[in-house]
Amino acid sequence: MRVKSVVLIALLIIFCVTSEVRALTLDGSQDSVNVAPYVEYLIPDETLSVTEVMARKGDFIPHGGDAINFGFLQHDLWLRLRFEQGNEPGAEFRQYLLLSKIHIRQLDYFHFVDGQLVRERHTGTDRFYATRDVDAPQFIFRLDKRVGDNELVLRLRTSSPLHTDLSISNAPYILKVGTDHQFLYGMILGFFALAILLSGTLAYTTRQRSIIYGFLLMCSAFAFSLTNSGFGFSNLWPETPGLNPFVSRLSLGFCFGMTGLFATEFLELKRIAPRLALATRLSSIFLICTMIFPVFSFAPVFALAITFLVPILTLISACYATSKKASGAKLLLVGFLLYIACVVTSSLASFGVLPNEFEYAYLLDIGMIMMAIILAYGLALKINERSLAAAVSTEGVKAKSLFFAIMSHEIRTPINGVLGMLNLLEKQNLNEEQGKLARYAKSSAQTLLSLINDILDLSKIEAGKLDLEPITFDVVDLLDEVTNSFAQLETNRHIEMILDTHHIQQRYIVSDSGRLRQILNNLLSNALKFTSEGEVEIHAQIVQNTLDPELLISVRDTGIGISDQQLPRLFDNFTQADESTTRKYGGTGLGLSIAKQLCKLLGGNLSATSTPGIGSIFTFSIQIELASTQPLKPKPAIQGKKALIFDPCPAAMRVSKNYLKAWGAEVHSTPVEQKFFSILSREFFDIVIYCGSKALPEDMIQPHQLILAQPVSDYHARQLSKPISETALVRSLTKPEEVSETNVIATVRPKPYKLLLVEDNFINTEVALGILEDCGYHQIETAENGQEAIDLLKQEQFDLVLMDCQMPILDGYEATRWIRAGKAGEQSKVPIIAMTANAMQGDREKCLAVGMDDYLSKPIDPDKLTKTLQQWLTN
């Protein structure tokens, strides 16, 4: 027992001797002396003043370490340093106390001589930068010449891990350390500036989301670097201490958040791992929000957790994308691992596990720069890949456009001959069977032409070369024409065509009427194809609740319907609902796709809803302009008159009823024929609309009664045909003498003009001659190529030239240039009309550019040809 006591006492004596704090002696010969081993420290449980601390000198504990390392502190840290006798009065040197820590919220410096406080300083990142003795990121205090027993006392308060060197150095050494810091950080700033400039330029020129996120990542990393290095506090906002922690927190959150967002876009995670992409994106956005708006008490806790979660998710994403061999995944993984390694090394240095060399303070910046360089290389590779893909795609589009142009010309040429000959054949004295065969052949040729037009339109849309030609037109008349054209084709089927335009008050709009007609044709042909019986209703209105008015049209049918599984791919190219539909109904699946893309080009959209076995509703909208002048909407004078309607189709009867009510009539209606006859026999009605299957009994017709009916009988005052459109109903309810003479179209017979037809295809020549002769033009000369045309122009006088473009020896383009150059004699200004099978984008412009006056595409439309000839021959 005695032996143990002796051993313990001996150990205690040895401990006290070895742990005794030695006073520091300075002679001015050393550049720098580490004073951490000479320091005593005190961490009180409460806030104390310097007087109270000096009264508790016996409570200070020897430190003994090579660096001040306490990690996170909850309370103030007091440090005490004592000096031995020395430093005689005649010594001429000045030294400085150097604290290498950059971020200390509050730092109080007290200098005692012979136990008396002779100097104190209060500084830190919570105070103005001007409170520092020396203009440097580190904390430096001037030490005057010391005589006698001197003491230094420091109080530190910080919110970051406390690990720092404490030394006393002379001015040359401090200048050298400052120069080293400035040189290293200058290089870092230079790399950051280059990275930001490069990523900013790429983001502005490419507008790609991944590069924009990369640019924001660089900017936020640069802002964090400015706060982490002390550069921002010392140079940018020295008079605003509170800005430093705010910018540091905000930039760090943005940096990590943008890292996650950048990774999701750079790796295209949405395509290869949608759930992982969603988790990373949501975590990144939440992190950024908590950094910007820390309004809840728990927000910093969540932010800290997500600060670690986002890099983990990013690392997992990079590993997964690398396993899937995604483009750029390896580069992102390497760059991010390097950055994580720098973060870990810097953290270990901050907690004292590694030596606190000043280079470690810039490891976060160095890691970010290395990652930026690697990612910049990755972005350059991806941009190069996309550029190559775009170039290949562009070449593919050009090749496809060229193919379609050639095929268009080669197919349209024989179709022009087929349709032309069939038109001429129909005008011959054919018997019933021959006429039916001719009509069937013509219908097939027109179907083939429609298919070619669809394919051409699709190629133009994909190439971005579909021109729009906005004009002013009457939208009600256009809808009426389209609906009636389909109604005439469906007379042998039990399908009711209904057109409802009573909501349209301003009929004249500005848009591309041709493309609107094409959309309607596609939707109506689709509706009629899949509807065996029932009705097809077109409802139109103009919506003006936005700055840009819209024309909204819906097409409802009672056809087979479409399932929910088939709807999402309904508007894809060459797609129909299912294979059985294709086999039963035929078609290419292009009509709806083209209609949707045309709607988008016109500033709207096309959508569909459907119930299998009940029918479908296709609704589309296009942006329009209302014409500046709006003629008064036609309105019959039937205010206060009584009307009776019978229509077995409730929807059609509803539309007719709406029209009559809008014009002020008192309307009665019934879908039951027997009830209609009962009502008509008891009461007098000014207007009777009868859509039954038999003629009205003569004894039910009263004097001064206007009867609109189907079928037509000799005693009926007006004929009514379906579909009952607004225009047709106005015309039927208006007296003949009220019809304006401006509605009568005069037929102008052509004068004996002399024409030159230049065409190398014999069949097309015969077709054109037949059409021209039917139009009244009989003085026609023909030429098989451009050279023959020039020779004829030298010999004879012609009033107009119809010029094909693709011909042997001398084509139409070169022949036109020669004519305009005067090589065809005195007829250099003769009107030249292109009549060609070239119908692709730019063909019209090409014809006009060489000197032609107008353009007609094959197959030739006789009406268009007649109007064009009248226009140029009468000028």
Side-chain angles (χ1 to χ4, degrees):
M1 186 66 181
R2 291 180 179 178
V3 175
K4 293 181 179 179
S5 300
V6 171
V7 172
L8 289 174
I9 293 171
L11 291 174
L12 182 61
I13 293 172
I14 293 171
F15 175 78
C16 293
V17 171
T18 55
S19 62
E20 180 182 358
V21 178
R22 295 170 295 165
L24 180 62
T25 301
L26 295 176
D27 58 10
S29 61
Q30 296 172 292
D31 289 336
S32 180
V33 177
N34 183 16
V35 299
Y38 301 93
V39 168
E40 302 171 277
Y41 72 91
L42 174 65
I43 307 178
D45 295 336
E46 56 184 336
T47 302
L48 301 176
S49 65
V50 66
T51 304
E52 292 170 333
V53 168
M54 293 305 290
R56 295 174 55 178
K57 288 183 178 181
D59 296 336
F60 275 85
I61 303 172
H63 179 259
D66 291 333
I68 307 299
N69 182 21
F70 289 92
F72 285 97
L73 290 172
Q74 299 296 325
H75 300 282
D76 295 346
L77 171 67
W78 290 86
L79 299 179
R80 179 185 177 210
L81 178 63
R82 290 182 289 175
F83 297 96
E84 283 284 4
Q85 191 77 12
N87 306 329
E88 297 302 326
E92 294 294 337
F93 67 89
R94 173 174 292 173
Q95 292 184 313
Y96 298 85
L97 179 68
L98 173 61
L99 194 69
S100 63
K101 183 71 176 177
I102 294 176
H103 296 286
I104 295 179
R105 289 182 53 203
Q106 184 175 335
L107 178 58
D108 303 310
Y109 165 88
F110 305 95
H111 186 193
F112 291 88
V113 176
D114 295 331
Q116 300 297 319
L117 181 62
V118 296
R119 185 168 181 262
E120 64 178 298
R121 288 288 273 161
H122 305 281
T123 183
T125 51
D126 281 353
R127 295 175 177 269
F128 296 141
Y129 187 79
T131 59
R132 302 192 178 189
D133 274 2
V134 177
D135 182 10
Q138 297 80 13
F139 292 96
I140 302 174
F141 300 93
R142 188 177 67 252
L143 300 178
D144 295 327
K145 181 170 57 177
R146 287 168 293 280
V147 179
D149 185 16
N150 301 315
E151 291 179 288
L152 293 179
V153 177
L154 300 176
R155 179 172 63 184
L156 289 76
R157 182 179 300 162
T158 180
S159 56
S160 60
L162 180 61
H163 179 79
T164 181
D165 287 339
L166 185 63
S167 61
I168 294 179
S169 309
N170 56 28
Y173 177 80
I174 291 177
L175 289 175
K176 177 181 178 302
V177 171
T179 302
D180 292 342
H181 275 275
Q182 290 176 2
F183 175 75
L184 181 59
Y185 193 61
M187 291 180 61
I188 291 173
L189 289 181
F191 277 114
F192 262 123
L194 287 175
I196 290 175
L197 180 62
L198 175 62
S199 59
T201 303
L202 291 176
Y204 179 77
T205 53
T206 64
R207 308 295 175 92
Q208 295 180 15
R209 189 175 297 178
S210 60
I211 300 178
I212 294 174
Y213 285 153
F215 171 67
L216 295 176
L217 171 61
M218 289 295 102
C219 292
S220 56
F222 181 63
F224 178 72
S225 176
L226 292 178
T227 59
N228 189 54
S229 64
F231 183 88
F233 189 32
S234 60
N235 295 278
L236 301 180
W237 48 79
E239 301 300 319
T240 314
L243 192 58
N244 211 67
F246 172 76
V247 173
S248 179
R249 182 187 74 246
L250 185 64
S251 57
L252 182 63
F254 257 95
C255 185
F256 278 106
M258 288 301 162
T259 300
L261 294 176
F262 172 79
T264 58
E265 294 296 330
F266 181 77
L267 299 174
E268 298 180 2
L269 280 182
K270 190 175 180 180
R271 177 176 56 83
I272 60 176
R275 293 183 179 179
L276 185 59
L278 180 63
T280 306
R281 184 178 289 109
L282 290 179
S283 302
S284 302
I285 293 173
F286 185 77
L287 174 60
I288 294 173
C289 292
T290 53
M291 290 297 180
I292 299 176
F293 308 107
V295 293
F296 303 108
S297 59
F298 58 82
V301 179
F302 274 95
L304 182 63
I306 296 178
T307 301
F308 290 101
L309 177 62
V310 170
I312 292 173
L313 288 174
T314 304
L315 191 60
I316 293 174
S317 302
C319 293
Y320 182 79
T322 302
S323 68
K324 294 294 183 180
K325 298 182 180 180
S327 176
K330 286 184 179 180
L331 290 173
L332 177 62
L333 181 60
V334 171
F336 198 68
L337 285 176
L338 283 174
Y339 178 63
I340 294 296
C342 292
V343 171
V344 171
T345 305
S346 178
S347 301
L348 293 176
S350 297
F351 286 99
V353 179
L354 296 177
N356 192 36
E357 301 294 338
F358 84 92
E359 291 87 354
Y360 289 154
Y362 299 106
L363 272 178
L364 291 177
D365 307 311
I366 294 172
M368 180 59 68
I369 289 173
M370 288 193 297
M371 185 172 73
I373 293 173
I374 293 175
L375 293 182
Y377 177 68
L379 284 173
L381 290 179
K382 295 201 79 169
I383 292 173
N384 187 47
E385 290 175 2
R386 291 176 180 175
S387 299
L388 289 174
V392 172
S393 176
T394 302
E395 290 300 322
V397 169
K398 289 181 179 178
K400 185 166 66 173
S401 298
L402 179 60
F403 170 78
F404 280 129
I406 295 173
M407 293 305 297
S408 168
H409 180 271
E410 296 303 318
I411 295 175
R412 281 175 179 273
T413 297
I415 286 183
N416 179 63
V418 171
L419 283 174
M421 288 299 181
L422 289 172
N423 285 327
L424 296 176
L425 183 61
E426 282 185 323
K427 296 178 181 180
Q428 305 301 317
N429 294 323
L430 304 177
N431 59 38
E432 183 177 351
E433 184 64 23
Q434 292 170 334
K436 182 175 70 172
L437 294 176
R439 287 193 298 272
Y440 286 167
K442 183 178 178 181
S443 176
S444 298
Q446 288 174 337
T447 301
L448 179 58
L449 179 61
S450 176
L451 174 60
I452 294 171
N453 289 334
D454 283 345
I455 295 175
L456 289 176
D457 284 339
L458 181 64
S459 68
K460 291 177 185 178
I461 292 171
E462 289 180 348
K465 295 182 177 180
L466 187 69
D467 281 341
L468 299 178
E469 299 179 3
I471 61 172
T472 301
F473 62 95
D474 187 331
V475 66
V476 174
D477 281 350
L478 184 143
L479 293 171
D480 192 7
E481 290 173 13
V482 174
T483 307
N484 273 286
S485 65
F486 278 93
Q488 292 172 11
L489 295 174
E490 300 299 326
T491 53
N492 61 335
R493 294 205 295 168
H494 301 290
I495 299 177
E496 187 85 26
M497 296 288 294
I498 305 165
L499 175 61
D500 185 1
T501 58
H502 82 277
H503 285 295
I504 297 180
Q505 300 302 320
Q506 295 176 291
R507 300 170 49 146
Y508 289 86
I509 65 173
V510 179
S511 185
D512 191 324
S513 62
R515 297 305 173 185
L516 175 58
R517 187 187 297 270
Q518 187 176 359
I519 296 170
L520 288 168
N521 284 337
N522 279 325
L523 294 182
L524 287 175
S525 61
N526 183 77
L528 291 168
K529 181 192 296 183
F530 299 107
T531 303
S532 58
E533 60 181 8
E535 57 197 40
V536 173
E537 179 179 359
I538 304 97
H539 180 275
Q541 61 178 320
I542 293 177
V543 182
Q544 300 189 59
N545 54 359
T546 58
L547 294 178
D548 297 320
E550 288 185 336
L551 175 63
L552 186 65
I553 298 178
S554 63
V555 178
R556 179 184 63 84
D557 65 65
T558 57
I560 61 175
I562 307 164
S563 68
D564 293 338
Q565 293 76 22
Q566 297 161 351
L567 271 175
R569 58 192 186 93
L570 187 63
F571 298 105
D572 294 343
N573 293 339
F574 303 101
T575 300
Q576 286 192 335
D578 57 26
E579 293 181 0
S580 62
T581 300
T582 305
R583 287 196 299 268
K584 182 176 180 181
Y585 296 98
T588 61
L590 281 178
L592 292 179
S593 173
I594 293 173
K596 187 176 182 70
Q597 295 185 69
L598 288 175
C599 289
K600 289 183 176 179
L601 287 174
L602 292 169
N605 200 5
L606 170 62
S607 60
T609 58
S610 183
T611 303
I614 295 179
S616 306
I617 301 176
F618 288 83
T619 303
F620 74 91
S621 62
I622 61 171
Q623 287 189 356
I624 61 170
E625 294 181 20
L626 296 175
S628 55
T629 57
Q630 290 285 344
L632 292 177
K633 189 175 182 181
K635 182 179 179 181
I638 60 173
Q639 180 72 33
K641 293 189 176 183
K642 290 180 63 178
L644 177 62
I645 304 174
F646 165 71
D647 198 319
C649 176
M653 185 174 65
R654 168 178 48 81
V655 172
S656 300
K657 189 175 181 179
N658 288 336
Y659 288 137
L660 295 178
K661 281 187 174 181
W663 297 327
E666 177 188 340
V667 186
H668 300 265
S669 60
T670 177
V672 182
E673 191 168 20
Q674 190 62 38
K675 187 176 179 181
F676 165 79
F677 287 127
S678 176
I679 296 173
L680 187 61
S681 64
R682 296 194 312 265
E683 300 181 47
F684 173 80
F685 293 92
D686 301 288
I687 303 166
V688 177
I689 298 179
Y690 175 70
C691 300
S693 58
K694 56 186 178 181
L696 284 172
E698 294 188 19
D699 58 352
M700 288 190 178
I701 300 175
Q702 304 178 35
H704 311 294
Q705 196 173 40
L706 179 61
I707 307 296
L708 311 176
Q710 284 185 320
V712 179
S713 298
D714 293 337
Y715 54 81
H716 288 157
R718 297 283 198 279
Q719 175 185 354
L720 183 67
S721 60
K722 282 197 168 185
I724 304 177
S725 66
E726 182 178 6
T727 304
L729 200 54
V730 170
R731 188 181 300 113
S732 299
L733 294 171
T734 304
K735 294 180 181 180
E737 59 269 17
E738 295 176 358
V739 178
S740 173
E741 293 182 0
T742 57
N743 295 329
V744 180
I745 301 176
T747 303
V748 181
R749 297 195 60 81
K751 296 179 181 179
Y753 295 108
K754 190 172 184 180
L755 309 181
L756 174 60
L757 174 62
V758 188
E759 172 66 66
D760 65 318
N761 186 282
F762 172 74
I763 296 177
N764 285 336
T765 300
E766 292 298 315
V767 168
L769 289 173
I771 295 174
L772 291 171
E773 288 177 359
D774 284 344
C775 295
Y777 299 96
H778 300 286
Q779 298 185 45
I780 307 170
E781 295 287 340
T782 62
E784 293 186 1
N785 56 66
Q787 185 61 57
E788 289 186 12
I790 291 175
D791 293 340
L792 285 172
L793 286 169
K794 290 179 180 178
Q795 301 169 9
E796 303 179 45
Q797 188 75 21
F798 291 94
D799 297 295
L800 186 139
V801 178
L802 293 168
M803 181 78 73
D804 188 23
C805 292
Q806 302 290 341
M807 295 180 293
I809 303 177
L810 190 65
D811 62 30
Y813 302 117
E814 197 64 26
T816 302
R817 291 192 186 96
W818 287 20
I819 294 170
R820 297 305 185 212
K823 295 182 179 181
E826 299 179 355
Q827 300 192 68
S828 61
K829 295 183 179 180
V830 62
I832 302 176
I833 310 299
M835 196 165 64
T836 175
N838 293 335
M840 290 294 291
Q841 169 68 24
D843 287 329
R844 177 185 180 87
E845 290 74 12
K846 184 177 180 181
C847 292
L848 299 180
V850 298
M852 297 184 187
D853 297 289
D854 213 331
Y855 167 92
L856 291 172
S857 64
K858 295 176 182 178
I860 297 301
D861 184 338
D863 292 335
K864 287 186 178 180
L865 177 60
T866 302
K867 291 179 181 178
T868 304
L869 291 176
Q870 287 181 357
Q871 175 187 347
W872 289 103
L873 289 172
T874 56
N875 285 343

